Amino acid sequence: MLALLLAWIVVAAVIKNSYFIHMLFMATTYALLACALNIVVGITGLANMSQAAFFGIGAYTAALLATKFGAPFYINIIAAAVVSMLFGLAVGAPTLRLKGFYLSLVTIGFAQVLRIIEINWVSLTNGPMGITAIPGVSIGRYLFSKKAYIFYGLVVLLIILYVTKRLMASKIGRALSAIKNDEVAAKSLGINITYYKVLAFAMSSFFAGMAGSIYAQYTTFVSPDSFVQNDSTTLLCMVILGGSGTLFGPIFGAIVLIFVPEILRFADMYRLIFVGVVMIVGILAKEGQWFAHVQKFFKDRLTSLIRVKSGNREGAV
Amino acid sequence: MEELLKVENICVSFGGLQALSNVSLSVDKGEIYALIGPNGAGKTTLFNVISGFLAPTSGKVFYNGREVQGLPPHKLTPIGISRTFQNIRLLPNVTVLDNVRLGHHIRLKQNMADALFNSRRFREEEEKSIEDAREILRFVGMEKYENEFARNLPYGHQRKVEIARTIATNAELLLFDEPCAGMNSAEKVGLSELILEINKELKRTVFLIEHDMRFVMKLSEEITVLNQGQCIAYGTPEEIQEDPDVIEAYLGVGRKGGQE
Ligand SMILES: Nc1ncnc2c1ncn2[C@@H]1O[C@H](COP(=O)(O)OP(=O)(O)OP(=O)(O)O)[C@@H](O)[C@H]1O
Ligand SMILES: [Mg+2]
């Protein structure tokens, strides 16, 4: 995992081509969103189909703060996170008693309502035209280059991973996974199911809001078309493909589903078929746990390599 | 004897089906109380009411003198009611130790900040929780399996782990729904010894549902018999064994059941 991160940083540092920079930025952003979504989908086992909507709320919040008040980036990102989380609470609290696909339907509905608001509340959102000329991130006199946003995103990604890892090792994480595994058992142990579901939802939308803020300042432009249902679905696919509930899996899901369609761009519309096949094969491959196996594969190679080396010295394998 | 649990005129109906009608009973602190009755008598339904999984259509439940019917399980577990399920509900892909540790959920004081910053309180609490869970596993004789996934354990062991988990909640009243269903007679003997120890050494009140009459006769001090949602008898094991209504409604069925 560390190797991947290093590779990511190195690639980000050396690439010059603005198209590659853009792709890598998008991969970072989607990795972020997928990891955030993983808290709800992977760890708690809830079907949230509106992650892109929270991403959008964050982006709009940051866009408005930056254009109207010239707020600095750290205010933007925190405000974006908080506003998105408040929406998460508002949607989650009344609906998280719903099960399975009822919940998916409600979240889809929420995303649609939000999109209609984005389009029609012209005085706030500038309607379908979107908000343009959003100032980029600047620290002192240094204005972020496009490349710098990749690192900005990576820092936030690391924060999400850290938070997720810590929580998974705590009472909170255990409660969330108990809910996913067996809600009735979780209930019988005194776990307040609704509270923890809402908490997971709030955390996920909090981080999605952060991603939105980074994205808005990177592209300098947000419009209702930037955050559509398709994006939510793609994010869900990333989590599931990478191995839902694993810490790093969603990152791999994001990489695959960002780059594969790009690589296949020559195939025009047929590439979507390939993406579908990748999804199906990937999920069938190890019931979504393929990444864990790949990781284990490399780890085993690595340890046997090290063992052989030290074995030469000590005369034992 | 001081009264711990009191069930008063509980009625539950599912649509047209009257699953419980006017069921009343009272369980004293420190005893082993049994609820028996043929299939579909409403035993599990009564447990669901007591443990907060089901609000009764009418009637009252008192725990330690406090009216608790209709409260959700997450309010009842902290005040001292914990249960097992007729069809074991362990988390299959979680280790035995962590399954038991889930029982600690309500008493862990750690908050999100403790977890994020790995605070001293967090570390101490986690260590203590692991210690305590190990001790409970030793008590039920499952310490060897602490790192096994629950799904890999044989049925009888899973039962014990589920019981261990209720002990971990520190609840005073433990509700066991058919704890020895599906066990062979040697396992049953082991389990009844365990339940006695839980009662005597850990000083927990045990309220259990059972099909196997012999099992209940040896273990419990008081018995209530349910049939078709109604209490048809109440008394000591000796009284129950001789009650003609019980013999008609239950023992016939029990013998047949015993042949399986
Ligand atoms: N949630 C429910 N909805 C509808 N009917 C139910 C529900 N739960 C139980 N019943 C019905 O209520 C009656 C009592 O069921 P219950 O499970 O309490 O019986 P039991 O005494 O535990 O039987 P067993 O020995 O088979 O476990 C049965 O007829 C059952 O079908
Ligand atoms: Mg039952």
Side-chain angles (χ1 to χ4, degrees), chain A residues 162-163 166-167 169-172 174-175 177-178 181-182 184-185 187-193 196 199 203, chain B residues 53 73-74 77 82-83 85 89 91-94 101-103 105-106 108 110 112 115-116 118 122 126 165 169:
Chain A
Y162 176 79
V163 169
R166 293 295 319 160
L167 287 183
S170 79
K171 162 183 173 171
I172 298 173
R174 290 192 293 266
S177 88
N181 272 295
D182 187 338
V184 173
K187 240 189 216 172
S188 82
L189 296 165
I191 295 171
N192 186 341
I193 305 287
Y196 280 98
L199 182 71
M203 284 195 287
Chain B
F53 278 85
H74 68 85
T77 317
S82 185
R83 71 175 289 183
F85 296 89
R89 284 184 176 272
L91 306 191
N93 302 318
V94 168
R101 285 185 67 200
L102 267 183
H105 177 86
I106 47 172
L108 294 180
Q110 55 184 253
M112 202 184 281
L116 291 185
N118 199 14
F122 179 80
E126 290 290 292
R165 193 171 65 179
T169 63

Side-chain angles (χ1 to χ4, degrees), chain B residues 44 86 177-178:
Chain B
T44 299
Q86 192 165 349
D177 195 344
E178 301 200 22

Side-chain angles (χ1 to χ4, degrees), chain B residues 2-3 19 72 115 133 136 161 191 202 206 210 212 218 221 235:
Chain B
E2 206 181 330
E3 187 178 75
I136 296 170
V161 175
L191 191 69
L202 301 182
V206 176
E210 196 41 74
D212 186 329
K218 272 195 312 207
E221 291 142 54

Side-chain angles (χ1 to χ4, degrees), chain B residues 12-15 17-20 35-48 54 86 177-178 209-211 226 229:
Chain B
V12 170
S13 52
F14 298 113
L17 180 88
Q18 188 77 19
L20 292 176
L35 183 64
I36 64 174
N39 287 103
K43 305 180 295 293
T44 299
T45 303
L46 185 63
F47 266 25
N48 286 342
L54 191 69
Q86 192 165 349
D177 195 344
E178 301 200 22
I209 293 176
E210 196 41 74
H211 259 307
L226 274 187

Side-chain angles (χ1 to χ4, degrees), chain B:
Chain B
M1 268 283 204
E2 206 181 330
E3 187 178 75
L4 184 63
L5 174 79
K6 185 171 170 180
V7 169
E8 219 175 66
N9 298 320
I10 288 290
C11 298
V12 170
S13 52
F14 298 113
L17 180 88
Q18 188 77 19
L20 292 176
S21 34
N22 282 312
V23 173
S24 300
L25 54 83
S26 113
V27 178
D28 289 336
K29 252 188 188 131
E31 74 169 329
I32 299 180
Y33 194 106
L35 183 64
I36 64 174
N39 287 103
K43 305 180 295 293
T44 299
T45 303
L46 185 63
F47 266 25
N48 286 342
V49 169
I50 298 169
S51 59
F53 278 85
L54 191 69
T57 313
S58 67
K60 288 179 174 171
V61 178
F62 294 90
Y63 181 77
N64 258 331
R66 182 177 155 197
E67 211 175 302
V68 295
Q69 75 279 357
L71 288 182
H74 68 85
K75 297 234 165 86
L76 292 173
T77 317
I79 63 172
I81 302 178
S82 185
R83 71 175 289 183
T84 65
F85 296 89
Q86 192 165 349
N87 45 342
I88 303 174
R89 284 184 176 272
L90 290 175
L91 306 191
N93 302 318
V94 168
T95 63
V96 164
L97 188 74
D98 282 350
N99 262 292
V100 175
R101 285 185 67 200
L102 267 183
H104 291 154
H105 177 86
I106 47 172
R107 70 165 136 120
L108 294 180
K109 301 263 185 315
Q110 55 184 253
N111 58 30
M112 202 184 281
D114 288 319
L116 291 185
F117 303 114
N118 199 14
S119 73
R120 192 200 173 99
R121 167 161 80 170
F122 179 80
R123 276 173 285 136
E124 284 175 356
E125 212 175 51
E126 290 290 292
E127 254 167 48
K128 176 103 174 36
S129 150
I130 292 171
E131 277 302 299
D132 290 356
R134 288 211 173 110
E135 196 180 318
I136 296 170
L137 279 176
R138 264 195 298 279
F139 188 85
V140 301
M142 289 290 111
E143 72 275 17
K144 271 190 296 200
Y145 306 103
E146 68 167 59
N147 293 319
E148 278 298 332
F149 285 126
R151 71 179 130 89
N152 294 336
L153 292 191
Y155 194 79
H157 290 2
Q158 290 194 16
R159 273 275 174 232
K160 287 188 177 173
V161 175
E162 201 191 20
I163 288 174
R165 193 171 65 179
T166 64
I167 297 173
T169 63
N170 266 350
E172 182 172 6
L173 176 64
L174 306 182
L175 308 172
F176 298 151
D177 195 344
E178 301 200 22
C180 67
M183 288 186 169
N184 63 35
S185 42
E187 284 175 318
K188 280 182 188 176
V189 171
L191 191 69
S192 58
E193 279 165 10
L194 177 64
I195 291 176
L196 272 174
E197 283 168 18
I198 290 171
N199 177 246
K200 295 283 165 326
E201 287 175 36
L202 301 182
K203 309 256 183 300
R204 312 290 179 95
T205 306
V206 176
F207 185 9
L208 57 89
I209 293 176
E210 196 41 74
H211 259 307
D212 186 329
M213 277 297 262
R214 273 175 308 174
F215 184 86
V216 167
M217 294 304 162
K218 272 195 312 207
L219 208 54
S220 57
E221 291 142 54
E222 290 182 286
I223 298 175
T224 281
V225 187
L226 274 187
N227 189 24
Q228 297 180 349
Q230 287 174 323
C231 294
I232 56 165
Y234 157 78
T236 62
E238 295 73 35
E239 290 166 349
I240 294 298
Q241 259 168 327
E242 279 150 29
D243 191 302
D245 287 346
V246 178
I247 293 167
E248 190 190 319
Y250 186 82
L251 286 183
V253 181
R255 283 216 188 89
K256 266 186 237 138
Q259 298 296 314
E260 280 169 17

